[in-house]
Amino acid sequence: MTARKAPKELMELLNQAIAREIQVSVQYMWQHVLWKGVKGFAVREEFKKIAIQEMKHAEAVAERLNYLGGIPTTKPTPIFVGDSLREMLEQDKKDEEDAIALYKKIVEVARKEGDEVTKSMFREILSEEEGHHDTFTTLLEEI
Ligand SMILES: [Fe+2]
Ligand SMILES: [Fe+2]
């Protein structure tokens, strides 16, 4: 059985999600590599852990888009690593806020289309992005 082709709007949103998941998985992994100073030492493992979660999100969304008949993008949205730990964390906090807004929209569009699987997938991813946002926000308070 082939899947009913998903509407163009939903497929475009899934590709936006993939582009930003690739972006942040590279961004956080490079921040894991390029950290500086004592405070950077304290958070470098967290960057790596979150980078791996973002790569898993990219995979999950790409699998879903493929099933729905779309072609997953290979192009990340612009990557910004930052020079200082503060710059890194401020960018990451903002990127998580953008992800949260986009994924709420995807949940809403999937709900309207009756696509329960995409909806529940993005609710799950959304809760992880809120966790990342909470981590970056908390770390920013301490620097
Ligand atoms: Fe993610
Ligand atoms: Fe995230």
Side-chain angles (χ1 to χ4, degrees):
M1 198 175 86
T2 48
R4 180 176 64 94
K5 205 154 165 85
K8 209 165 178 280
E9 185 196 9
L10 187 58
M11 298 218 277
E12 279 172 10
L13 288 169
L14 294 189
N15 250 334
Q16 282 178 34
I18 292 167
R20 65 158 312 287
E21 292 293 350
I22 302 171
Q23 174 216 334
V24 293
S25 60
V26 175
Q27 183 170 304
Y28 300 163
M29 195 60 90
W30 274 203
Q31 289 171 343
H32 162 71
V33 171
L34 297 169
W35 61 276
K36 288 187 188 86
V38 172
K39 285 171 177 165
F41 181 81
V43 301
R44 67 193 175 126
E45 285 308 313
E46 199 60 27
F47 283 138
K48 181 178 174 180
K49 197 182 96 192
I50 298 177
I52 292 168
Q53 286 175 358
E54 307 295 17
M55 182 54 80
K56 288 179 178 169
H57 292 167
E59 183 210 4
V61 180
E63 292 274 16
R64 185 66 190 155
L65 180 60
N66 179 54
Y67 177 74
L68 294 173
I71 298 166
T73 184
T74 56
K75 292 187 186 68
T77 42
I79 295 164
F80 179 88
V81 175
D83 286 326
S84 65
L85 188 60
R86 174 171 293 279
E87 222 174 62
M88 291 176 180
L89 290 170
E90 277 171 355
Q91 179 68 34
D92 299 351
K93 177 172 176 274
K94 193 188 155 294
D95 283 326
E96 294 297 332
E97 283 162 5
D98 292 347
I100 288 166
L102 176 62
Y103 298 173
K104 280 183 178 164
K105 186 175 174 192
I106 293 176
V107 167
E108 193 51 33
V109 172
R111 189 190 59 77
K112 271 195 223 132
E113 295 297 335
D115 184 343
E116 291 297 324
V117 175
T118 302
K119 187 184 91 178
S120 64
M121 171 185 281
F122 272 88
R123 285 173 81 156
E124 233 172 82
I125 296 176
L126 183 56
S127 84
E128 292 196 5
E129 308 302 9
E130 286 188 353
H132 301 162
H133 182 256
D134 185 47
T135 300
F136 293 136
T137 305
T138 308
L139 291 171
L140 261 174
E141 285 165 7
E142 292 297 316
I143 59 168

